[in-house]
Amino acid sequence: MKQISYVMVKPYFANSKVIIDEIKRRLQLSGMKIMDESYIRYDKKRASMHYSEHIGKSFYPELEDYLTSDKAYGMIVAGENAIQVIRELMGQTKNPKEGTVRYDIPKALGIAMRITENVVHSSDSEESAKKEIGIFLQLKKEYSNQQTNNTAKTNKTKTSGSNFNKCDDDFVL
Ligand code: ADP
Ligand code: MG
């Protein structure tokens, strides 16, 4: 059965292109197709929509803080039995097994595996995927508008004669 899922590299890990590429490679090796992808930034409102089923749980405040702490990287992924295949690739919430993204990435980075601040999200049902993708598409649009505004501001600074040479490429991941 062909399905669509939503995969999101969470903040901190989404700052590394190497990690994003490794997750994409694993998805593609499993026959999954990435239909759309973008950096995004969750605000409190959209974090609570995405994780609505967890509001009120003891870990919710730290989960919301984490998701809103920095940019994330969202992907719409399609494939045969995508929901289950991707959940298996990512690994379970607690004590993920070796060979899964949630185990292998912290291990490769030499950092502790954490339950809340884990590497990645993937949809647990077609219904969740639909909801999460709707939020992703809103955030993608906002992120792109924000980037356009930033570029316009930078250009304005340049043309107004500033000799401040900021080079974004200095930031190597
Ligand atoms: P999954 O991401 O595997 O679908 P859940 O939907 O149950 O897991 O939980 C959403 C996210 O909330 C998890 O990915 C994790 O970041 C965090 N989380 C879940 N359970 C706990 C817990 N018991 N303690 C701390 N954080 C948790
Ligand atoms: Mg879940």
Side-chain angles (χ1 to χ4, degrees), residues 23-173:
I23 294 170
K24 286 171 66 174
R25 189 185 70 83
R26 290 183 185 212
L27 287 166
Q28 285 159 339
L29 269 177
S30 302
M32 299 293 118
K33 208 169 161 197
I34 296 158
M35 313 298 288
D36 196 2
E37 58 194 308
S38 175
Y39 285 105
I40 42 176
R41 175 91 202 220
Y42 285 85
D43 54 17
K44 278 175 180 283
K45 184 177 140 204
R46 263 64 72 87
S48 70
M49 285 162 71
H50 178 92
Y51 278 131
S52 55
E53 74 272 30
H54 297 304
I55 295 172
K57 293 184 185 170
S58 58
F59 62 82
Y60 183 76
E62 54 173 325
L63 179 59
E64 189 188 78
D65 281 352
Y66 178 44
L67 190 57
T68 57
S69 64
D70 202 347
K71 67 178 188 284
Y73 194 81
M75 290 176 261
I76 301 176
V77 185
E80 202 55 29
N81 297 320
I83 303 278
Q84 195 198 333
V85 167
I86 297 171
R87 293 279 291 181
E88 279 169 18
L89 273 182
M90 300 309 153
Q92 60 204 35
T93 322
K94 289 182 186 167
N95 300 314
K97 295 192 172 58
E98 193 170 351
T100 64
V101 168
R102 282 177 170 175
Y103 180 98
D104 293 349
I105 300 282
K107 175 100 179 169
L109 294 174
I111 59 171
M113 214 184 313
R114 305 177 82 165
I115 297 182
T116 304
E117 288 94 358
N118 57 10
V119 182
V120 73
H121 162 85
S122 66
S123 309
D124 62 3
S125 66
E126 290 188 6
E127 198 189 352
S128 306
K130 207 171 157 193
K131 179 189 87 171
E132 293 160 6
I133 286 169
I135 300 165
F136 162 73
L137 292 173
Q138 284 179 10
L139 294 175
K140 181 188 163 192
K141 208 163 151 189
E142 289 172 16
Y143 194 87
S144 150
N145 289 342
Q146 185 70 48
Q147 297 305 107
T148 311
N149 287 344
N150 288 348
T151 308
K153 270 187 208 149
T154 309
N155 288 342
K156 206 172 159 199
T157 312
K158 274 185 194 154
T159 50
S160 69
S162 164
N163 57 6
F164 174 59
N165 290 319
K166 184 181 180 303
C167 177
D168 288 339
D169 293 339
D170 286 347
F171 183 60
V172 178
L173 293 170

Side-chain angles (χ1 to χ4, degrees), residues 9 13-14 16-24 39 73:
V9 185
F13 298 98
S16 164
K17 193 166 166 359
V18 173
I19 293 173
I20 293 171
D21 285 347
E22 173 61 16
I23 294 170
K24 286 171 66 174
Y39 285 105
Y73 194 81

